[in-house]
Structure formats: structure tokens, C-alpha cells
Amino acid sequence: MQSHISERISNIRSWLKENQLDALIVPHEDEYLGEYLPVHNERLQWLTGFTGSAGVAVITQEQASIFVDGRYTVQVTKQVPDSIFEYHHLIEEPFLDWIIDHLSPSSKVGFDPRLHRSLWVTHAQQKVSGKLTLCPLQNNPIDLLWQNRPVPFFSKMWLMDIKQSGQSSEEKRQAIAEILRKKQAHCALLTQSDSICWLLNIRGQDIACLPVLLTYAIIYDDASVDFFIDPQRVIDEFEHHAGAGVRICPPETLEHSLTNLQGKQVLLDPDTCNAWFSLTLQNAGVSVIHGADPCMLPKAAKNASEIAGMQACHIRDGAAMAKFLSWLDQEVAQGNMHNEATLSDQLAVFRQEDPTLLDFSFSTISAAGSNAAMCHYNHLNQPTPGQLTPNSFYLVDSGGQYTDGTTDITRTIAIGTPSPLMKQQFTLVLKGHIALASARFPQGTSGHQLDALARQHLWAHGYDFDHGTGHGVGHCLNVHEGPQRISKAPNTVALLPGMVVSNEPGYYRADQFGIRIENLELVTPVDTQGDFNALGFESLTRCPIDQRAIDLSLLNDAEIQWLNHYHQKVWDDVSPLVSGTVKEWLKQATLPITRSSF
């Protein structure tokens, strides 16, 4: 593999010389800027061997560097040869700063505008002004050099029934058109595939873990849509399903359609669309209004049918988790200390028993012992999967894409007897989880304002966790959905009824253990009999929290009451779906606890 990478770098340098460029930027992203990439768009992996989800390579005539964040500092050393590449931290040493420091002011740096956010290019051009020149490329050299490139996979379109979507495409398009008219925009360019699939009530499987068709669209202020997709991929029932006003446009007509918007006011989200769109509109003299994707907020606030689907799929997902955790306890009791791959595969088997499962919502994080201290650990990227050991924690973060919703759950499981320190840290994390799940707050509150609730008990003991507390989740769509989130980073987007967010505080002790407890929460109105209309959370996830890992002395009576109430809901909803030893396990796992229980 190293010889292939060396040859590819050499070919890139020859291409740079031929095109009178001094460097090339190669990000992980593809033209859709999504979290997940189809295999034929894994350009960074082809060039470097790196399989992580966040990274950038910079190739010059003399040097090759790869930049990754803290999740991948170990992984990159195992996958990318240090004889060819220097390793850098993506956050602590931004690649643009590195380029400025290592190249002369006369240098020309090539980048593919399709693979960078419009907002990033605007900021980057300002940053390098007078120091070097960023040159947008017409053709990506990797696309020219990549031999035996995987053939793109195009999945079958399927239609989301009105019982699942809760709202017809025509109704959604009218609502978006009203937003455009208020913004005095003639149309909006939609570049996020999940927005388009939500708008048209369709789904697909063009890409792993995200049930979408990779497409683009333009929605106009009369509620009509230009839908850029190969006509051969459109099923016969689509026209009736979508309603009047949806025009099927071959993808090759996209650029022409954009240039024809000259003289129009076009709404464009610079944070979600790639820079090629901005440059194309700019060169055509189109007037651009910068603003958020108009589908984003309506998509995030689920309607009654979508909420019902999310509730239903979480109960079925809870049954799969109960089967897995029951099986795991039996195996450990028999001395079968399986490795992370076996555990992940077995969980997949239980989920796949559900005929409504389309895919997993992300690659399962199956982390034994000290591996769980890496919060985004992936056993598939390790030379050998880790193995369960006595008196340790096992962390499993997983989820499913179902026809009626999306799940994401993390459980930390005691393997044997945890140490007092492990139980203390688990309980501090649990207290934070309960505090956030129990929150009551006025309308207009953002997730940023609630983040400290989940950290307060860790903070009181001098601990913290280095990731966000919660992300939005789509309805049979993106497991990481915006615009809402719960984190330290400022975010002014108010939490709205119908939004779904994760609640996942954690703690990670390097080389020892990792803990995370994650449920999905539905934002819902609550009656506080106070002076304002309050909102709160309803836990959607239905799976026991391991009581064997709790230090009961650290829980107060209200927290014990919350845990007992939650476990009662798990039992009531999941027990009808399981039987035999699984049902007996679930009964024991959800028994109420009291001060005398331990």
C-alpha cells in the first residue's frame, strides 16, 4: 500500500508542475458535503490511506502533510505512512496556517471548489490575501488519476407514505415558498440531500447510513421545484406522490439552470452548499441572498406523524438492545469474553431481525476497556479488535435507520465488578444525564444554554468531557441533524417542540475506561403551572441503564425516582416485544431501586 501512495503523490506533484501550481488541498468531503461519503468519492482515502471522517491533506512539491482532529491522532499513524506524510492536528495547527507558513507569497494553491463549503472559501480567501493565491480548479486531479475507481451506486427511490411523513410534499413546498416570499427571494438552492428528500417525501440508499438520494434541487416562490436527478431513477408513482409542480431535470442541466437565474434573488446557505455553486452564481451575475437552508428548521421540528414514528421505532430498537444486552450478560457469565467485532456483529444481527430496518444510522462504536477512552473509537480501523476483560466497562454506541425513524443510543456496561472510581464517574455522568432530561425551560431557550446541566456534577469534581452534549436527529434521515444542538459552543437556534436531540454526557479516562450514557429526547411542551409556557424533554430511547455501575450514595431521591420511572417505561413498552430469558433479563434490569437495594 505504501508504494501505491508514494506513486500517487508523485503523480499529483507531476500534475501540479504541469498546471503551474505549488500545492493542492485535498479534504475528506465530497461535493454533497455530507457526513458520509459513497466509496467512489473517498478521494482522501485513495490518496493517503486514511479512513477517518475528518481530515485534510496538503501536497506540495517538497512536502506532504495530513491534518486530523483529536479523534484520529492514533489512527492516522497506523494508516498513513510517516515516510511520506507529516502528521498535524487539524484544530491546533489549521492547514491553512501551515500553508501560509510553508509557501511563499507568490505561491498558487489549487483546491476543488466542489469539496469546500462556500463560507470556508470566503474566509480562506480573506485569510490568505496578500500571502498567496487560492486557485479554484475546473477538474480535480484525483478524478483524473484514480484508476479502477469504484462505480457510483444508485439506489432505488422509495416513497414515504403520508402516514409516515404526516404532511404532503405539496404542503411542505407551499410552506417553504412562503418563507421565500417573506425573504423576498425568487428561489432557494437546495444542496443538502436530506432537505430535498424531506421536501419531496422520498428516500433512497445512495450512501451508507443515510437514507437519501444524492441530488440537488431549486425551489421557487410559487412552490414549484426543479429536481436534478437522472430521469431513469424516478419511479412511475413519483409524479402523483409529489404532486404538481415538480420538474425532473437531468443533472447535466444544473449549471445551465443556475446561469439562467440571472436577475433573480436566490437564497443560498453558504454553510451547507459547496463553493462551486457560489462561484457559478457569482460568475453568472445572479443576486445571492445568504441565509439558512429554508427546509432545515421545518424538517427539525417533527410533526405528530413523525413523532409517532420516532416513538415506535425506539421501542423496537429497545427490544433489539434488550436482546443484545441479555445475550452479553449470559456470555460474560459463561466466561466468553468476546472481542469488539463479535459484539458489534451480534448487535447488528438483533437489529436486522426488524423488517423495517433500512440500515444502521452510523458505524457502531464497540469499545472494550481502555478503547472506550477514545470517544469516537472504531474497532474496524484497528489491527486487532479489543477484547472484553474482567472488571471493566464496555461502551457501545449504535443506532438504526428504520422506515419510521432514526435511533442513536449509547450504553456503558459493567463487565464484572467496576472499581469505586469507575462507579463514581459513571454516576456523575448519569446525574448529568438525568439533570438534562429533567430540564424545564422557557420557549426561546437554545441548547447552548442547557449544556451546563449535563456537566455540572462532573465539573463539581473537576472533570469534563470534550464533545458536545447533544445533536439533532432526523426522521429516517441524518442521525446528526441541525440546526439545533446542545454544546458549549454558542448556538442561538431555539429548541422547538418536535425537535429531537441526543442527551449524551460522558467521561473518558485515558488508557483506562470511557463512559457515555445517551438517550434521544423529544422537545415537548410541559405544564409547570408557572408564568410562562415551558418546554421539556421526553426520553424516546427505551433501554435499561446499567444499575450495577451506579454508586447509589451519589444519587438523591429525585434522581432515583427519575431512574425508576424511566425503567418502568422501558419495561412497559419493550417487554411485550421480547420473551423467555430476554424478558426475564429485562425484568431484572428495570427493577426499581431503593436506598436498601445496594
Side-chain angles (χ1 to χ4, degrees), residues 341-551:
T342 300
L343 296 169
S344 176
D345 292 345
Q346 185 59 56
L347 175 54
V349 169
F350 288 128
R351 273 208 174 92
Q352 288 166 337
E353 292 177 357
D354 188 332
T356 69
L357 182 76
L358 297 169
D359 198 351
F360 307 115
S361 52
F362 55 96
S363 296
T364 295
I365 297 174
S366 176
S370 62
N371 289 337
M374 296 178 277
C375 62
H376 289 91
Y377 173 79
N378 189 336
H379 66 275
L380 298 175
N381 294 328
Q382 308 304 314
T384 305
Q387 194 155 343
L388 297 178
T389 56
N391 306 325
S392 67
F393 278 149
Y394 168 63
L395 186 153
V396 57
D397 186 349
S398 63
Q401 293 284 7
Y402 299 90
T403 56
D404 52 353
T406 301
T407 68
D408 182 2
I409 172 176
T410 307
R411 287 296 182 264
T412 304
I413 308 303
I415 306 300
T417 304
S419 69
L421 173 64
M422 294 165 69
K423 294 180 72 171
Q424 170 188 287
Q425 298 307 103
F426 183 95
T427 310
L428 295 177
V429 171
L430 175 60
K431 287 170 72 69
H433 180 96
I434 294 172
L436 182 58
S438 306
R440 299 291 182 264
F441 47 93
Q443 294 187 16
T445 301
S446 71
H448 165 65
Q449 294 170 289
L450 302 178
D451 182 73
L453 295 175
R455 301 177 189 268
Q456 59 180 314
H457 300 288
L458 286 164
W459 283 352
H461 288 74
Y463 304 114
D464 201 0
F465 54 94
D466 191 21
H467 58 73
T469 299
H471 56 82
V473 178
H475 172 251
C476 189
L477 280 173
N478 203 328
V479 73
H480 297 132
E481 178 182 81
Q484 75 278 19
R485 66 175 184 267
I486 303 173
S487 68
K488 291 180 181 179
N491 177 14
T492 59
V493 176
L495 296 173
L496 300 174
M499 284 183 170
V500 175
V501 293
S502 65
N503 172 2
E504 50 182 309
Y507 174 73
Y508 311 91
R509 181 164 287 236
D511 302 320
Q512 294 188 41
F513 58 86
I515 299 162
R516 188 160 63 253
I517 302 171
E518 177 186 18
N519 283 358
L520 296 192
E521 313 279 357
L522 172 69
V523 181
T524 183
V526 294
D527 183 10
T528 60
Q529 299 180 339
D531 295 331
F532 58 81
N533 296 321
L535 298 176
F537 294 119
E538 172 195 323
S539 295
L540 294 171
T541 305
R542 292 290 186 267
C543 180
I545 294 168
D546 195 343
Q547 299 185 29
R548 299 167 301 184
I550 298 173
D551 180 346

Side-chain angles (χ1 to χ4, degrees), residues 43 72 102 166 209 220 252 294 425 495-496 509 534 555 578:
R43 296 176 177 90
Y72 300 114
H102 287 77
C209 301
Y220 295 86
E252 57 269 21
Q425 298 307 103
L495 296 173
L496 300 174
R509 181 164 287 236
L555 293 183
V578 297

